[in-house]
Amino acid sequence: MEMSVLWSLALYFLLVCNGVHVEASNHTHRNLQSLPKEQPYRTAYHFQPLKNWMNDPNGPMYYKGVYHLFFQHNPYTPVPGNIAWGHSISYDLVNWVHLEPAISPSEPYDIYGCYSGSTTILPSGKPAILYTGVDLNNGQVQNLAMPKNASDPLLREWVKSPLNPLISPVDDIDRSDFRDPTTAWQGPDKVWRVIIGGRINAVGLAFLYQSKDFVNWTRSNKPLHSSNKTGMWECPDFYPVRINSQNGINNFAQDKFTKHVLKASFKDQDHYILGNYIPQTDNFSIEYDFMETGFDLRYDYGKFYASKTFYDSAKKRRILWGWVAESDTALDAIIKGWAGIQSFPRSIVLSANGRQLVQWPINEIEKLRTNNVSFEGKELKQGSVLEVSGITASQADVEVSFDLPNLSETESIDPNQVDPQQLCSQKGASTNNGTVGPFGLLALASKDLTEQTAVFFRIFKRDGKRVALMCSDQSHL
Ligand SMILES: *[C@@H]1O[C@H](CO)[C@@H](O)[C@H](O)[C@H]1NC(C)=O
Ligand SMILES: *[C@@H]1O[C@H](CO)[C@@H](O)[C@H](O)[C@H]1NC(C)=O
Ligand SMILES: *[C@@H]1O[C@H](CO)[C@@H](O)[C@H](O)[C@H]1NC(C)=O
Ligand SMILES: *[C@@H]1O[C@H](CO)[C@@H](O)[C@H](O)[C@H]1NC(C)=O
Ligand SMILES: *[C@@H]1O[C@H](CO)[C@@H](O)[C@H](O)[C@H]1NC(C)=O
Ligand SMILES: *[C@@H]1O[C@H](CO)[C@@H](O)[C@H](O)[C@H]1NC(C)=O
Ligand SMILES: *[C@@H]1O[C@H](CO)[C@@H](O)[C@H](O)[C@H]1NC(C)=O
Ligand SMILES: *[C@@H]1O[C@H](CO)[C@@H](O)[C@H](O)[C@H]1NC(C)=O
């Protein structure tokens, strides 16, 4: 019943303007493959398993010509529970083949779940999974799994190490907040390093462990980094980026042409900081710390969490995956049969000025564009709404350019006084009158506009330069 109501609801894709008039030029939409009737909101562009629950991306890698994506998965229902590592493979990061879960709860050290972790390609060329298990005592421990047959490029079967658990929460570590090992890296001394997310009291941190053999791990006397402004860190990620380059580099690289990124997931967002990492001393000297006013860097300001990067050696780039959670109720998830998607895979590099990261969907995604709809040279008068016809509203890949003929009265913004995130998320932000904007798109809109999701822009002046604020309406989340 519920589903047929959803299906019969007519939805539109619209252009809107609430500030000065703007002109939308060379505005093209690419409609997508037809959506199966029984699954009207299943995505076509984004990664999803065939059904049921998915959250964090785990251990993405490129191995013997194949891209692997593992993910936190409940294979039985569309709500959290029975957490296993779902496993899918692809030759182009766009079309996926879904395999059996790689690892599932089975042993005393992971019986209550195979939680997040990473893969590391060892010098032998074989990949290894490090993951968090929740053990019989509900403690979080770190475990190892290796491929049963490393000659199989699809790596269908994985064998858990008889030495598990490798790392247990002892001493001052809270056993309920100790998880998500990163891809490991070797220093010039050939000693392995890995970090694990956690907290000590209210201080969030990345525990650092070292090992000569990947099996016997010793806790370093200081964490890689910590912060008392963040709470518990989940899903840390730590990797080098090249200065002044579009290429990525592997997790071992470190020289004067690199900076290091430390990402941690907390307060429902993925935050990162930049710094210099010295592997000889494991000293990470940072530029700005987490949550510092004006430099609170994040990957994304929408629904995007528990992300993970990997180095794609085939195309010499670093790719970012992140979990896009839903705000549906458990009942809605059960009715539709699935919950959770992954973001587009995005290529991620250091900006030209070296102060932040920049991202773009990998260009393979453009393969999915079909049914080009063009909508050009339209004038958007103050308060107007234009319908873009010829596409389904539920998904479209949009390229849009707005021409703003008169910017003489652009209002000023001082980021030290006004938090742009706050401005975007204010109630009615998409309809408030600015001097230039908001203008933008209404996706999934009903004819009377009572149902809609706005993606919108507002132009400001900052330090004499014009800046655009891009927002998406999250008031329904
Ligand atoms: C859109 O128009 C602008 C300005 O005329 C031009 O610079 C740009 O290349 C065009 N983009 C596309 C995709 O046609
Ligand atoms: C391992 O995988 C390779 C490649 O798929 C296959 O040829 C070989 O038979 C497999 N070995 C075993 C023992 O299954
Ligand atoms: C594990 O490594 C530590 C530090 O290198 C060493 O002291 C200890 O003997 C090792 N334990 C085993 C069982 O190899
Ligand atoms: C938090 O950490 C900063 C610097 O690391 C320190 O100056 C400050 O006193 C700490 N605050 C608390 C409440 O521990
Ligand atoms: C580590 O980096 C800090 C700055 O973040 C610096 O003060 C300290 O001297 C460095 N320590 C070593 C051993 O290099
Ligand atoms: C879509 O149509 C527009 C306008 O006709 C054209 O400029 C653009 O190149 C087309 N894009 C694709 C992917 O076909
Ligand atoms: C731009 O807008 C301002 C204020 O509304 C107006 O005074 C000015 O004439 C406009 N300029 C043009 C070129 O339309
Ligand atoms: C926005 O401003 C325009 C003209 O400046 C005015 O006509 C309109 O009523 C205003 N809308 C709102 C919602 O304040």
Side-chain angles (χ1 to χ4, degrees):
M1 191 61 199
E2 191 74 18
M3 292 303 285
S4 63
V5 171
L6 288 174
W7 187 238
S8 60
L9 192 66
L11 295 167
Y12 301 86
F13 196 93
L14 308 163
L15 284 171
V16 286
C17 176
N18 295 297
V20 295
H21 88 274
V22 298
E23 196 148 308
S25 60
N26 61 18
H27 179 203
T28 60
H29 301 258
R30 279 107 185 178
N31 189 8
L32 295 171
Q33 67 198 53
S34 58
L35 301 164
K37 259 208 163 64
E38 66 281 6
Q39 292 268 5
Y41 300 118
R42 246 187 105 79
T43 60
Y45 265 55
H46 295 78
F47 177 88
Q48 285 190 272
L50 290 174
K51 57 184 178 180
N52 294 328
W53 172 262
M54 173 172 68
N55 55 302
D56 311 359
N58 291 150
M61 65 175 167
Y62 180 74
Y63 181 72
K64 289 188 191 290
V66 179
Y67 291 102
H68 291 256
L69 180 63
F70 306 92
F71 48 90
Q72 294 283 282
H73 184 43
N74 183 343
Y76 308 113
T77 68
V79 295
N82 315 300
I83 289 294
W85 275 43
H87 184 195
S88 302
I89 61 102
S90 173
Y91 296 93
D92 59 5
L93 290 163
V94 170
N95 299 291
W96 293 89
V97 177
H98 303 292
L99 305 176
E100 286 300 306
I103 46 176
S104 301
S106 65
E107 306 299 322
Y109 54 77
D110 66 9
I111 197 72
Y112 290 126
C114 295
Y115 284 86
S116 285
S118 305
T119 49
T120 302
I121 311 267
L122 302 177
S124 63
K126 285 189 191 165
I129 286 176
L130 287 173
Y131 72 101
T132 300
V134 175
D135 72 11
L136 273 176
N137 305 316
N138 261 311
Q140 298 176 5
V141 299
Q142 317 311 321
N143 302 315
L144 172 68
M146 297 292 294
K148 188 167 185 186
N149 178 3
S151 314
D152 170 17
L154 303 191
L155 300 169
R156 270 174 272 235
E157 290 182 85
W158 291 78
V159 182
K160 295 172 187 172
S161 169
L163 299 168
N164 286 342
L166 302 188
I167 306 176
S168 294
V170 292
D171 304 329
D172 54 347
I173 301 176
D174 189 317
R175 66 199 186 102
S176 59
D177 276 333
F178 182 55
R179 56 184 176 269
D180 312 334
T182 57
T183 294
W185 70 97
Q186 267 177 314
D189 52 8
K190 297 288 165 217
V191 173
W192 288 99
R193 275 92 167 156
V194 72
I195 58 173
I196 298 167
R199 71 176 167 86
I200 290 182
N201 301 320
V203 177
L205 50 82
F207 291 103
L208 176 67
Y209 283 78
Q210 300 191 334
S211 175
K212 293 197 173 89
D213 58 6
F214 216 80
V215 173
N216 172 23
W217 293 89
T218 310
R219 182 176 165 189
S220 168
N221 56 19
K222 64 178 172 63
L224 182 76
H225 192 64
S226 65
S227 165
N228 58 17
K229 290 186 184 166
T230 61
M232 158 77 189
W233 292 5
E234 296 193 282
C235 301
D237 198 6
F238 187 59
Y239 57 91
V241 282
R242 278 237 175 276
I243 295 168
N244 261 320
S245 170
Q246 296 297 305
N247 287 344
I249 30 172
N250 72 48
N251 289 54
F252 295 55
Q254 189 277 320
D255 59 37
K256 65 179 189 221
F257 306 110
T258 60
K259 277 191 188 185
H260 264 73
V261 179
L262 175 63
K263 184 277 290 188
S265 302
F266 54 83
K267 300 188 196 294
D268 293 330
Q269 297 270 307
D270 279 13
H271 303 252
Y272 69 91
I273 54 179
L274 296 167
N276 281 307
Y277 167 67
I278 313 287
Q280 283 80 359
T281 56
D282 289 315
N283 198 4
F284 182 49
S285 57
I286 60 167
E287 296 171 2
Y288 298 100
D289 212 342
F290 288 115
M291 310 289 282
E292 281 190 355
T293 319
F295 295 98
D296 178 21
L297 298 169
R298 302 183 209 166
Y299 281 158
D300 198 299
Y301 292 80
K303 282 244 165 191
F304 186 92
Y305 195 69
S307 65
K308 191 164 299 282
T309 63
F310 76 104
Y311 175 63
D312 171 9
S313 58
K315 294 203 171 164
K316 297 198 169 32
R317 59 187 171 177
R318 183 162 290 271
I319 293 176
L320 171 69
W321 286 104
W323 169 41
V324 181
E326 287 175 72
S327 33
D328 272 357
T329 61
L331 181 61
D332 283 342
I334 288 164
I335 290 166
K336 72 186 200 288
W338 54 271
I341 61 170
Q342 299 299 330
S343 67
F344 280 1
R346 306 169 182 182
S347 163
I348 185 162
V349 300
L350 191 64
S351 66
N353 68 14
R355 289 200 300 227
Q356 66 187 93
L357 298 171
V358 290
Q359 319 158 37
W360 196 255
I362 57 164
N363 51 23
E364 285 91 331
I365 287 290
E366 292 174 20
K367 280 194 211 171
L368 289 169
R369 291 175 169 181
T370 56
N371 303 349
N372 191 359
V373 171
S374 183
F375 190 79
E376 299 183 42
K378 307 286 185 199
E379 191 178 331
L380 278 165
K381 290 214 160 56
Q382 162 85 44
S384 65
V385 178
L386 295 180
E387 184 186 335
V388 181
S389 50
I391 61 167
T392 64
S394 55
Q395 34 195 323
D397 182 3
V398 180
E399 274 180 20
V400 58
S401 324
F402 291 100
D403 245 10
L404 301 161
N406 190 346
L407 290 170
S408 64
E409 288 197 347
T410 311
E411 65 209 297
S412 293
I413 190 171
D414 176 357
N416 292 316
Q417 302 291 322
V418 182
D419 176 357
Q421 174 73 6
Q422 200 69 40
L423 202 62
C424 275
S425 56
Q426 270 166 9
K427 197 166 164 51
S430 64
T431 52
N432 287 343
N433 254 355
T435 51
V436 187
F439 55 89
L441 314 170
L442 298 179
L444 285 166
S446 59
K447 194 111 214 174
D448 62 2
L449 302 186
T450 51
E451 173 64 46
Q452 49 153 290
T453 300
V455 178
F456 56 100
F457 304 86
R458 237 172 111 170
I459 311 296
F460 293 96
K461 225 177 333 190
R462 186 180 70 190
D463 304 330
K465 289 193 194 131
R466 293 201 176 86
V467 292
L469 183 66
M470 178 179 175
C471 309
S472 60
D473 180 358
Q474 300 191 24
S475 60
H476 301 306
L477 301 185

